[in-house]
Amino acid sequence: MKSIKTSVYALFLSFSSFFIPMEGNAQIFPVSKPIQTTQSADLLNIETPFRCTVDELKDQKILTTIALTDQDFKLSYFDYSDSLPRYEVNGFSFRNLPVDEAFQRLLEEAKITVYTEDGTYPELNAQDVFGELTTVVSELAKAGDVFYRYDSKQKALYLSRFGRFELKLPDNRLVMFALLDALRGAGIQQIAPNWENSTLILTLNYAEKQKVQSLLDQILKESKLLLADTQVYHISPAIPQASWQKVIEEFGVGRVYTTNSGLVGKLISIGHHKKSQDLLASISKNYIVSPVSEGIAIVPNNWKMRFDIGKCAHIPGLETLSLLLSTQIKSTDKVDTNVTLDTKSGELTAFNVVAAIDDELAIIGIPRNYQGYPDGELLITLKLRYIRLVKGN
């Protein structure tokens, strides 16, 4: 049996010093400090300017329909692989062999060398395997939870626990946000979006690939997305007798549909009104209102998402605050939603509310002192909208 070779992707160079002589013996790269990306470049995020605004969405319809093509929501293997040679496998058997060694034994007669890109692999057993070589290799890779690519010029087969996949999406930025939120909510971290051609490049292991495919299947089956224009304000009393009771009486008690109490704060739901600032106008008579963050939160039906409020914040201190949404769209008049405020220290508060599309939700009573206002609190509003995905025109 041929030995398994391992691909080397990094070369570590060790020098006693690393510098370029300049006038005055200055060093561009001091030996005492590791070289790091500049902070300005490290903080660059082209997603944030689109994510952290709701202005462009204010004039959109309450219900938006997006037509899908046959290629939308298709997950395909991104790394190119040549076709394996045409061979028939007759009675291939092995016991307690690591996946890479099993591949090497299988491909030895075809003079194909196997290269691994990870550490150790799980052991497998097989008895009297028959079939075309490509089929056998694919099934063996599936059983071992690995991905492969073949280079016909080098006669080399590369194995890895991780594979790169391309996900084609409709040409719609909101759908891109929805998938990014849902994937991150599912724990998928290695995602590279291309905003120009509406694709995502995902680096996944086998379990993550199955999780992503399950999400895509569910989105296509449900064909519904809930969008929430999210705005966060800091408020503090403007008059001595300021209270939420006065605000609601000024706004109109009959315009408040429900109130829900959480561990901290309350969530109120109000119906459709033409002027989106009506509630804020009533609040402004009692409180000083300062916008601190805004952005788009989108969640597929029967799924969860996380919206990082802190990333869109205009003030410090909100870096760890996130909004979690999970929803079940029963109809345009009945949307069952769980809303959670989360921090790195754990859940701050949570609410469950049944509302209609185009209702507005407001979370009130979350204490938050800022810039010398000892009685300050956060106000978070969510304006609900509905996106429907349909196949064809």
Side-chain angles (χ1 to χ4, degrees):
M1 181 186 303
K2 293 183 179 180
S3 61
I4 307 298
K5 299 181 180 180
T6 303
S7 300
V8 178
Y9 289 98
L11 183 62
F12 296 91
L13 303 178
S14 177
F15 295 98
S16 59
S17 65
F18 179 45
F19 65 92
I20 300 176
M22 296 181 63
E23 185 177 352
N25 295 323
Q27 294 183 2
I28 292 181
F29 303 113
V31 178
S32 59
K33 294 183 179 180
I35 300 173
Q36 295 180 336
T37 305
T38 62
Q39 184 180 27
S40 176
D42 200 39
L43 295 176
L44 174 64
N45 188 330
I46 61 174
E47 181 182 336
T48 300
F50 301 107
R51 166 80 68 178
C52 300
T53 179
V54 298
D55 291 341
E56 61 181 294
L57 301 175
K58 286 181 179 178
D59 297 328
Q60 285 198 354
K61 297 179 180 178
I62 299 168
L63 189 152
T64 301
T65 299
I66 298 174
L68 305 180
T69 68
D70 291 338
Q71 298 304 312
D72 291 333
F73 292 97
K74 296 294 184 183
L75 188 67
S76 56
Y77 195 51
F78 183 74
D79 292 322
Y80 177 78
S81 176
D82 294 323
S83 299
L84 286 163
R86 300 293 300 274
Y87 287 106
E88 284 291 327
V89 178
N90 296 308
F92 178 57
S93 302
F94 61 89
R95 286 186 60 80
N96 300 328
L97 275 185
V99 174
D100 50 349
E101 293 187 27
F103 268 105
Q104 186 64 80
R105 180 178 293 186
L106 171 66
L107 300 171
E108 192 166 12
E109 290 187 16
K111 301 187 183 304
I112 296 174
T113 305
V114 176
Y115 294 84
T116 62
E117 299 180 355
D118 307 290
T120 58
Y121 290 88
E123 293 184 351
L124 297 177
N125 298 303
Q127 183 68 33
D128 291 332
V129 176
F130 291 83
E132 202 272 327
L133 179 61
T134 300
T135 302
V136 173
V137 168
S138 298
E139 290 300 320
L140 186 58
K142 183 178 179 180
D145 291 344
V146 297
F147 303 103
Y148 75 88
R149 53 187 175 87
Y150 177 61
D151 186 332
S152 58
K153 291 183 179 179
Q154 302 296 326
K155 299 202 72 173
L157 187 85
Y158 296 91
L159 298 180
S160 176
R161 285 194 180 88
F162 293 88
R164 290 194 302 167
F165 294 84
E166 182 180 57
L167 176 58
K168 179 69 176 67
L169 297 174
D171 186 17
N172 185 288
R173 198 175 296 277
L174 298 180
V175 177
M176 287 277 283
F177 285 141
L179 263 294
L180 286 170
D181 289 341
L183 290 169
R184 290 164 181 163
I188 308 300
Q189 298 298 325
Q190 298 190 65
I191 311 172
N194 186 318
W195 299 96
E196 176 64 25
N197 58 22
S198 301
T199 60
L200 303 178
I201 301 299
L202 312 174
T203 302
L204 309 169
N205 60 31
Y206 219 91
E208 289 172 335
K209 176 181 177 293
Q210 292 177 314
K211 184 185 294 185
V212 171
Q213 190 59 61
S214 174
L215 169 62
L216 297 177
D217 292 342
Q218 182 170 325
I219 289 177
L220 288 174
K221 179 182 178 182
E222 299 288 346
S223 301
K224 302 170 186 175
L225 303 173
L226 181 71
L227 183 150
D229 296 342
T230 305
Q231 295 177 293
V232 184
Y233 305 88
H234 179 271
I235 66 174
S236 56
I239 60 176
Q241 299 81 20
S243 71
W244 276 104
Q245 187 66 35
K246 285 190 174 184
V247 170
I248 298 304
E249 290 176 359
E250 172 70 27
F251 178 69
V253 176
R255 300 171 67 186
V256 177
Y257 293 167
T258 62
T259 62
N260 299 269
S261 297
L263 182 64
V264 179
K266 287 190 175 184
L267 183 147
I268 62 175
S269 65
I270 59 180
H272 172 74
H273 47 273
K274 292 182 179 180
K275 294 182 179 180
S276 60
Q277 299 300 312
D278 271 0
L279 178 60
L280 287 182
S282 300
I283 295 173
S284 298
K285 295 179 179 180
N286 290 263
Y287 293 88
I288 299 171
V289 181
S290 303
V292 296
S293 181
E294 65 177 4
I296 307 166
I298 308 174
V299 57
N301 194 31
N302 289 313
W303 203 258
K304 298 178 181 180
M305 64 76 65
R306 175 187 296 273
F307 172 64
D308 292 320
I309 292 175
K311 287 186 178 180
C312 298
H314 315 314
I315 64 173
L318 297 178
E319 292 82 4
T320 65
L321 187 62
S322 297
L323 177 73
L324 306 181
L325 288 179
S326 62
T327 189
Q328 187 176 31
I329 303 174
K330 300 180 183 295
S331 68
T332 55
D333 295 325
K334 189 179 294 185
V335 181
D336 190 357
T337 303
N338 289 311
V339 183
T340 303
L341 285 180
D342 192 44
T343 70
K344 289 185 178 180
S345 301
E347 181 179 300
L348 177 62
T349 190
F351 308 92
N352 176 263
V353 60
V354 177
I357 297 297
D358 199 38
D359 277 0
E360 184 171 334
L361 311 179
I363 299 174
I364 64 175
I366 307 296
R368 207 274 176 176
N369 300 328
Y370 177 65
Q371 290 187 341
Y373 295 104
D375 300 322
E377 63 181 89
L378 291 180
L379 164 69
I380 303 173
T381 63
L382 299 94
K383 183 69 172 177
L384 303 183
R385 302 182 188 275
Y386 178 50
I387 300 175
R388 180 175 59 192
L389 307 175
V390 296
K391 294 184 178 180
N393 295 325

